[in-house]
Amino acid sequence: MSTSARLRERRVHLERRATASKAVRTSLVSLAGLVGGPVTNQSGEEVGRVVDVVARLYGAEQYPPVTGLILRIGRRRTFLAADAIGKVHAGHVRLRTARLDLRDFARRPGEVLLAKDVLDHQLVDVDGIQVTRAADLYLAPLVDQIVLVGVDVSLPTLIRRLGPRRWQARPTPERVLDWQAIAPFAEQATEGPPQVRLRASRTVLHQLRPADLADILEDLGRAERQQLLGWLEPEQAADALEEMEPAELENLLREAQPEHAARLVDEMEPDEAADALRDLTSEEREALLTRMPADEAGELRRLLTHREGTAGGAMTTLLVTARRDETVAKVRARLAEQAEHRTEIDAVAVVDDTGRLLCDLALFDLTVAEDTTEVADLVAWGAQFGPPATIRPDTPLGDAADQLVAARASSLLVVDDSDRPLGRILADDLLDALLPERGRLHFRRFLQ
């Protein structure tokens, strides 16, 4: 195809796209402008006023279909099914038939009242990874039904809604989010069974990184973030909690039901869980520990005996150990079992029969070694570089940081007076502890 032909084809494509976009914009109906607007029959006579729009928000459809209207007729509020709607204009609904089948409204699973439950409520913009509020919702005709297509979050729209009635009915889509990128939060929007409401929200939220989820949790209100936590798997929620600011995490744990908070803390890495518990009162801390499995609770209690600001208070007790007579293949298999904790493991501690430390093998050394190589051979090879870098539990974190830099390592083993490994302190743990005023470095917020 010649260059001129390609340019002509591209121009035609752009013109069609512009025409389609214009058609979509002109067909949008503002929910804010529709509420309070008249409902007329085929003869143009007013029969009532729109109170709210009902939509099936948590169904399988990409864009929620409108299932009916709630009307005010005289002093009575009643429900009008969607099949009686002829056409929806800006601020005006026209009926399909003169005969009305009016009935009392009973919310069905997955249905919400858009004005009451969504408008002005908090929403999660999954594409932009932020919490926002719905200044307006836009409806549009699609084949033989009316669907919810977008959310307007712009300031001009809020101003429009404060103006005269004639302004309110005019869509001003300055900043519209596609509904497919939205996960709504509202107390009244959760009355459908879990299998209905989760299908639309978990599929998009589970794709977010822990740091992004942490940002969202910190921005949400109390009720909304407890609802979000209920939507996530415990492991995913715990990963997000580990990325939260300490003060926000403290508030979140206090807000949650003790059983749920205990389950979340149990899923966190030991050092992160101990930090979270340390910020609570002794009564709050014990209420969570008593609801956790005995082994995990005992481990956290041991961590909490170490003072804050010391290596013992910041270490993780998650350790992978090996014996001299084991093969590299066996150690690798043990590491594979700890895949979910891969960010907490950067080396393997080799110990003797009494549990005393012999060597701290970096994962790189294990990676390049042959499967049949014995750990004893790697210990002998590593001996030429001197003893492993270790610290005591009561070592101040500032001193631990100096030793970490001197050793040119990514972590240090914390050992007792008999050189038995108790835990490991990682470089990122030291950064979090020594630079609290910087907080967690979430790149989205940093760039904003």
Side-chain angles (χ1 to χ4, degrees), residues 112-134:
V112 299
L113 280 64
L114 294 183
K116 179 183 178 183
D117 300 336
V118 183
L119 194 63
D120 294 323
H121 281 68
Q122 285 185 314
L123 304 160
V124 174
D125 170 13
V126 179
D127 285 346
I129 312 175
Q130 61 182 327
V131 175
T132 186
R133 286 185 181 272

Side-chain angles (χ1 to χ4, degrees), residues 400-416:
D402 292 339
Q403 293 189 44
L404 185 72
V405 172
R408 295 177 178 267
S410 58
S411 70
L412 295 172
L413 278 172
V414 182
V415 297
D416 62 15

Side-chain angles (χ1 to χ4, degrees), residues 29-183:
V29 175
S30 162
L31 174 73
L34 192 63
V35 172
V39 179
T40 60
N41 59 23
Q42 290 178 312
S43 303
E45 299 174 339
E46 182 177 323
V47 297
R49 293 269 170 172
V50 178
V51 174
D52 213 325
V53 177
V54 184
R56 187 168 61 248
L57 202 63
Y58 299 110
E61 300 88 350
Q62 291 182 328
Y63 295 100
V66 170
T67 58
L69 304 175
I70 295 180
L71 307 182
R72 184 177 68 250
I73 302 177
R75 296 183 178 180
R76 180 187 176 195
R77 291 193 177 194
T78 187
F79 177 71
L80 177 72
D83 55 12
I85 302 173
K87 193 167 184 180
V88 176
H89 305 273
H92 172 218
V93 175
R94 184 172 182 179
L95 301 179
R96 187 188 303 274
T97 176
R99 299 185 61 182
L100 297 181
D101 179 16
L102 300 177
R103 63 192 79 166
D104 292 334
F105 174 65
R107 192 192 300 254
R108 294 173 294 184
E111 285 186 335
V112 299
L113 280 64
L114 294 183
K116 179 183 178 183
D117 300 336
V118 183
L119 194 63
D120 294 323
H121 281 68
Q122 285 185 314
L123 304 160
V124 174
D125 170 13
V126 179
D127 285 346
I129 312 175
Q130 61 182 327
V131 175
T132 186
R133 286 185 181 272
D136 200 357
L137 303 177
Y138 290 134
L139 310 173
L142 179 64
V143 191
D144 59 347
Q145 61 183 353
I146 301 166
V147 297
L148 174 60
V149 295
V151 181
D152 193 331
V153 295
S154 64
L155 180 60
T157 295
L158 285 174
I159 297 174
R160 164 173 64 83
R161 289 175 54 193
L162 297 174
R165 173 70 189 171
R166 64 179 182 276
W167 291 4
Q168 296 176 10
R170 299 176 183 173
T172 52
E174 301 299 325
R175 185 183 169 203
V176 178
L177 306 177
D178 190 306
W179 182 259
Q180 293 185 71
I182 295 296

Side-chain angles (χ1 to χ4, degrees), residues 317-337:
T317 56
L318 181 66
L319 291 174
V320 176
T321 61
R323 304 281 182 174
R324 289 170 52 89
D325 57 351
E326 292 181 313
T327 64
V328 167
K330 188 172 182 179
V331 178
R332 285 176 181 163
R334 191 174 301 137
L335 283 168
E337 295 173 355

